[in-house]
Amino acid sequence: MTKTIEFYFDFASPYGYLAAEMIEEFASRHGRQTTWHPMLLGAVFKATGGKPLTEQAMKGEYSLADFRRSAAYYGIPFKTPTTFPIATINTCRAALWMQEKHPAHAKKFMLELFRAYFRGDRDIGKLDVIGDVAKGLGYDADEVIAAAQSDDIKAKLKAAVDEAMAKGVFGAPFFFIDGEPFWGADRFPMMATWLTKGAWSY
Amino acid sequence: MTKTIEFYFDFASPYGYLAAEMIEEFASRHGRQTTWHPMLLGAVFKATGGKPLTEQAMKGEYSLADFRRSAAYYGIPFKTPTTFPIATINTCRAALWMQEKHPAHAKKFMLELFRAYFRGDRDIGKLDVIGDVAKGLGYDADEVIAAAQSDDIKAKLKAAVDEAMAKGVFGAPFFFIDGEPFWGADRFPMMATWLTKGAWSY
């Protein structure tokens, strides 16, 4: 069985978006599969007292520029959303539902959600936008919207966020390779070495 | 005249130490000189409400491991200091004095201070340790210790920290290449592209 890279992200994270654009090619180059774990950074920040980068003194302006600069560096289209960050609880719920019901298309759905926000400047926290994105992939918008609000999916997202925090996920993107944690899209070069040369002791 | 890379750091920053070990070779590979700017992250944190990584919820354990893992990744000796972080106000003052009095040896002095802390587990915030490091390079320990406490140097450090913060330095290591800011030792790959392919618009 092919081993996986566990990929945790928040749909409102620009570096999460960049990672989402790169992770499949990266994993396949290293003979790995991936498991995508949408989660809520807001829940982490509530527990840790953290704040979005752009709301941190001095870091805000740098971060906004670095989002664009990093996207250009990786060759990935990027447009700073008008509203940033946004609440992505509905987005996460819809993604979990898609993972459960249509696992073969779930990554494509999640990537299209990211793109709707970071290329199309659409507020993917809103149910009608989520429905639109689903419709673009051939799904029934109303079904997705209803599913995203079901008690079952709400409970599953809560469990997913708790599980991520219990594993130590405190930021996004966050990766685990055979249990080893890596935080940040800028850890791709180190992860590549980890996968090609093998784990090193430290 | 060779253009410079501006390099800002705090002597208590592990990633600053790793950058200090790499910056000269990096700059020379790209036909650049460097200017080293010791500064105090504590002053930044006082202004921004920031905290050392190891004191942040959830990030602490990861960071301590990532310091060691990153050092091994770069092939740089590293030993987690018993006391971390430490106050480096005396260290910075001694470094500024050395830059002023013996500029040709100042980088070597700063690198040896970093190594005393991150390889030798010595508290380089203490004046006697700073004197010892200076003595190891052939300088008079008492002269360095006295100079580090002079009003002139105290005022110069204050001005240096104010200048760094005015330029937007909010973390360490921090670099400027032709005015472009880069934060973090993990920005070396991006800086390399910036220097080889030229600045890109974003």
Side-chain angles (χ1 to χ4, degrees):
Chain A
M1 204 182 109
T2 309
K3 293 205 281 184
T4 64
I5 297 173
E6 307 293 324
F7 168 41
Y8 290 79
F9 58 90
D10 184 303
F11 282 107
S13 162
Y15 299 122
Y17 158 65
L18 298 179
E21 290 282 352
M22 296 188 284
I23 188 72
E24 292 305 310
E25 201 235 326
F26 177 85
S28 121
R29 198 186 321 140
H30 295 285
R32 294 265 174 160
Q33 291 186 325
T34 62
T35 307
W36 290 33
H37 299 271
M39 51 101 56
L40 297 170
L41 270 188
V44 174
F45 292 158
K46 202 173 278 186
T48 63
K51 281 197 285 196
L53 275 169
T54 51
E55 292 171 17
Q56 292 178 36
M58 296 182 78
K59 283 189 192 172
E61 198 188 338
Y62 173 88
S63 299
L64 283 167
D66 192 62
F67 298 160
R68 299 195 311 274
R69 181 175 65 181
S70 297
Y73 172 64
Y74 294 123
I76 297 167
F78 179 89
K79 192 171 170 291
T80 305
T82 309
T83 307
F84 180 85
I86 53 170
T88 55
I89 191 162
N90 289 323
T91 335
C92 271
R93 286 173 181 161
L96 288 190
W97 176 82
M98 196 65 86
Q99 284 185 317
E100 193 175 281
K101 290 294 251 189
H102 307 285
H105 294 151
K107 285 177 194 170
K108 178 69 179 156
F109 179 54
M110 292 187 266
L111 194 57
E112 288 302 321
L113 286 166
F114 264 129
R115 289 177 178 177
Y117 185 45
F118 288 111
R119 297 185 184 196
D121 196 12
R122 303 185 71 192
D123 183 347
I124 56 165
K126 297 206 166 122
L127 287 166
D128 60 323
V129 175
I130 294 166
D132 261 11
V133 173
K135 202 176 158 190
L137 295 175
Y139 292 95
D140 182 78
D142 292 335
E143 188 189 358
V144 177
I145 289 170
Q149 298 174 91
S150 73
D151 286 342
D152 175 53
I153 286 294
K154 285 181 182 176
K156 279 183 174 132
L157 177 58
K158 197 184 169 309
V161 170
D162 287 348
E163 186 250 351
M165 289 180 61
K167 285 186 77 173
V169 175
F170 56 78
F174 208 101
F175 312 89
F176 290 94
I177 299 177
D178 308 330
E180 180 78 7
F182 295 89
W183 170 42
D186 38 26
R187 280 290 175 276
F188 273 112
M190 189 189 279
M191 291 195 293
T193 303
W194 192 266
L195 285 162
T196 50
K197 298 202 177 162
W200 56 88
S201 56
Y202 58 85
Chain B
M1 204 184 107
T2 309
K3 294 205 281 183
T4 64
I5 297 174
E6 308 292 325
F7 169 41
Y8 290 78
F9 58 90
D10 184 305
F11 281 107
S13 161
Y15 299 122
Y17 158 65
L18 298 179
E21 290 282 351
M22 297 188 284
I23 187 74
E24 291 306 309
E25 203 236 325
F26 177 84
S28 121
R29 199 186 320 140
H30 295 286
R32 293 266 174 160
Q33 291 187 326
T34 63
T35 306
W36 289 35
H37 300 271
M39 52 100 57
L40 297 170
L41 269 189
V44 174
F45 292 159
K46 202 172 278 185
T48 63
K51 282 198 283 195
L53 276 169
T54 51
E55 292 170 18
Q56 293 179 34
M58 296 181 78
K59 284 189 193 173
E61 198 188 338
Y62 174 88
S63 299
L64 282 168
D66 191 62
F67 299 159
R68 298 194 312 272
R69 180 176 65 181
S70 297
Y73 172 63
Y74 294 124
I76 296 168
F78 180 89
K79 191 171 171 293
T80 305
T82 309
T83 307
F84 180 86
I86 51 169
T88 55
I89 190 163
N90 289 322
T91 334
C92 270
R93 286 172 181 163
L96 288 190
W97 177 83
M98 197 65 87
Q99 285 184 315
E100 193 175 281
K101 290 293 252 190
H102 308 285
H105 295 150
K107 285 177 194 169
K108 177 70 178 155
F109 179 54
M110 292 186 269
L111 193 57
E112 288 302 323
L113 286 167
F114 264 129
R115 290 177 178 177
Y117 186 45
F118 288 111
R119 297 186 185 195
D121 196 14
R122 303 185 71 192
D123 182 347
I124 55 165
K126 298 211 166 119
L127 288 166
D128 60 323
V129 175
I130 294 166
D132 261 10
V133 173
K135 202 176 158 190
L137 294 176
Y139 292 96
D140 182 78
D142 292 336
E143 188 190 357
V144 176
I145 290 170
Q149 298 175 92
S150 72
D151 287 344
D152 175 54
I153 286 295
K154 286 182 181 176
K156 277 178 177 137
L157 177 58
K158 196 183 171 311
V161 170
D162 288 349
E163 186 249 352
M165 289 180 61
K167 285 186 77 174
V169 176
F170 56 77
F174 208 102
F175 312 89
F176 290 94
I177 299 177
D178 309 331
E180 180 78 7
F182 295 90
W183 170 42
D186 38 27
R187 280 291 176 275
F188 272 112
M190 188 189 280
M191 291 196 291
T193 303
W194 192 265
L195 286 162
T196 50
K197 298 203 177 159
W200 57 87
S201 55
Y202 59 85

